[in-house]
Amino acid sequence: MTKTYRIGQIVPSSNITMETEIPAMLTARQLIRPERFTFHSSRMRMKTVSKDELAAMDAESDRCALELSDAAVHVMGYACLVAIMSMGPGYHRESQRRLRSRTEENGSDTPVVTSAGALVDALGVMKAKRVVVVAPYMKPLTEMVVDYIRQEGIEVVDYRALEIPNNLDVARHDPANLPEIVAGLDYSDVDAIVLSACVQMPSLAAVSKVEAITGKPVVTAAIATTYAMLKALDLEPVVPGAGALLSGAY
């Protein structure tokens, strides 16, 4: 009998991409594997990507975890990489532990992944020690993200901050621009390309093209989160057309 998994997402109120790219990947997986998925979200208020607004938003994540555990979802993903990384080095571990404890208190024991932790872990799975990063944030926040990745033992050789302050404008960024943006980075000696260190900036449509042009494995925060969710569900982490990490090689 085919099993259906309930996917929970804790998302910023202005995020409209995570609820399209994660379902797109897991729906594509249904073409090659029997498992089925439904999608459920709880939202935290955030419109402008600033450190103060991100901190206020993160304070709402416990409520979201409780709400999603009411629905007995099988896994939860915290879908805002920069909110976690702006809270200080290694914060994804604290967030994941705390939110899971909220679900336990509510009579559930739901695995929680964060897009920040998922990206760091994915680079470890891919044995990527040197990377380049593309992010939509203003430069100070992008540098915070870069420092967070470096604190996890990964060298960021080069990066590009697109400096888009409004979160809805981030969602409007055309992924067709990403290959040219990557072309301006020094990626010749890296192990992987982080095409989007943000779950709001659309990137899935550009992943295969950037891999073909550069010859490098490409990962995004959304792809890493999907990989982490599938692993948490003890399912094979494969999705067609979603880059090296979900190709079945890892």
Side-chain angles (χ1 to χ4, degrees):
M1 181 178 177
T2 300
K3 182 169 181 177
T4 298
Y5 293 88
R6 291 185 289 277
I7 304 296
Q9 293 203 82
I10 300 171
V11 294
S13 55
S14 52
N15 187 303
I16 55 175
T17 304
M18 203 58 168
E19 291 158 306
T20 56
E21 290 204 341
I22 294 276
M25 283 185 268
L26 293 180
T27 299
R29 188 183 184 278
Q30 292 178 170
L31 299 173
I32 58 170
R33 294 293 185 274
E35 295 84 17
R36 297 294 180 260
F37 305 93
T38 61
F39 303 94
H40 314 274
S41 299
S42 181
R43 310 186 91 77
M44 314 170 281
R45 287 298 310 281
M46 191 272 280
K47 294 176 71 176
T48 302
V49 190
S50 67
K51 194 171 188 309
D52 288 345
E53 200 161 331
L54 290 169
M57 183 188 78
D58 182 66
E60 297 187 44
S61 61
D62 292 58
R63 170 186 55 76
C64 294
L66 273 176
E67 291 175 359
L68 289 169
S69 65
D70 286 345
V73 297
H74 293 95
V75 65
M76 290 183 201
Y78 185 129
C80 188
L81 178 142
V82 71
I84 295 290
M85 291 193 176
S86 67
M87 297 294 283
Y91 180 70
H92 65 276
R93 298 181 183 87
E94 177 184 336
S95 174
Q96 289 165 184
R97 277 195 302 270
R98 192 185 72 245
L99 296 179
R100 185 163 188 164
S101 71
R102 296 290 90 80
T103 73
E104 291 172 346
E105 293 162 6
N106 198 29
S108 180
D109 183 13
T110 309
V112 178
V113 304
T114 63
S115 51
L119 179 62
V120 168
D121 291 345
L123 294 175
V125 168
M126 299 168 77
K127 302 188 187 310
K129 296 292 187 186
R130 292 165 54 84
V131 302
V132 292
V133 172
V134 179
Y137 317 118
M138 304 303 286
K139 196 164 184 181
L141 275 179
T142 301
E143 289 173 344
M144 200 175 295
V145 167
V146 167
D147 286 344
Y148 193 103
I149 294 171
R150 286 174 173 154
Q151 291 277 344
E152 295 290 330
I154 300 157
E155 183 181 356
V156 178
V157 176
D158 199 1
Y159 65 90
R160 171 79 185 274
L162 302 183
E163 302 206 81
I164 308 171
N166 183 283
N167 206 32
L168 279 178
D169 289 341
V170 171
R172 296 186 186 103
H173 185 264
D174 188 347
N177 295 329
L178 288 170
E180 184 177 348
I181 291 168
V182 170
L185 295 172
D186 178 13
Y187 65 80
S188 59
D189 193 30
V190 301
D191 303 311
I193 293 170
V194 180
L195 189 60
S196 176
C198 172
V199 294
Q200 172 77 326
M201 185 170 76
S203 54
L204 183 60
V207 169
S208 296
K209 184 172 183 178
V210 174
E211 286 189 334
I213 291 172
T214 63
K216 302 288 183 180
V218 169
V219 67
T220 70
I223 287 173
T225 303
T226 301
Y227 179 91
M229 285 178 164
L230 289 169
K231 293 290 285 184
L233 294 170
D234 200 24
L235 297 177
E236 188 181 1
V238 292
V239 172
L245 182 65
L246 289 169
S247 67
Y250 301 98

